[in-house]
């Protein structure tokens, strides 16, 4: 059974930093899953923020987070991270980690989801 568990969200002032973690279990190491961080703000669609291959190669950043967010994976710990710096109020959203057997930037491409963690950036 695949399980993705996010942690690390919270309330931070604009310009601050947060680091999200996503602990994955049940995904076979022999599989080539793509892993991504999505976010969804109230009234908006869920959008892909960043993604890596199973081996940890970064393959996508949303334009608005380039230079501020860094995605990474620790295969030994089966954990994915999202380091978020220079946070802005518009980064406020529920952040989800997800896994996909087939690469895509839309949420429907992803097979497994975490429960989400709230990130709130105050101005």
């Amino acid at each position: 059974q695949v399980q993705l568990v996010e942690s690390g969200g919270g309330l931070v002032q604009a310009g601050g930093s947060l680091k999200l973690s996503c602990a994955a279990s049940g995904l076979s190491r022999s599989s080539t899953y793509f892993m991504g961080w999505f976010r969804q703000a109230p009234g908006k669609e869920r959008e892909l923020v960043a993604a890596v291959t199973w081996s940890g190669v970064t393959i996508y950043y949303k334009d608005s987070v380039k230079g501020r967010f860094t995605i990474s994976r620790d295969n030994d710990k089966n954990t994915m991270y999202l380091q978020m710096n220079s946070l802005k109020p518009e980064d406020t959203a529920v952040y989800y980690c997800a896994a996909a057997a087939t690469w895509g930037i839309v949420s429907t491409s992803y097979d497994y989801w975490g429960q989400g963690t709230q990130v709130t950036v105050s101005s």
Side-chain angles (χ1 to χ4, degrees), residues 20-35:
L20 306 183
S21 300
C22 172
S25 60
L27 289 173
S28 169
R29 287 181 176 264
S30 64
S31 300
T32 54
Y33 279 97
F34 297 91
M35 301 289 294

Side-chain angles (χ1 to χ4, degrees), residues 2-9 18-27 33-38 50 52 54 70-84 95-100 110 112-117:
V2 176
Q3 193 172 20
L4 303 176
V5 180
E6 303 99 335
S7 61
L18 283 173
K19 186 174 184 177
L20 306 183
S21 300
C22 172
S25 60
L27 289 173
Y33 279 97
F34 297 91
M35 301 289 294
W37 285 101
F38 282 79
V52 293
W54 185 245
T70 303
I71 189 171
S72 61
R73 274 187 53 80
D74 183 332
N75 284 334
D76 290 338
K77 296 182 178 179
N78 261 352
T79 301
M80 178 176 66
Y81 304 97
L82 185 68
Q83 177 67 47
M84 304 185 294
Y95 283 71
Y96 299 89
C97 70
Y110 287 73
Y112 304 105
W113 292 86
Q115 81 287 354
T117 186

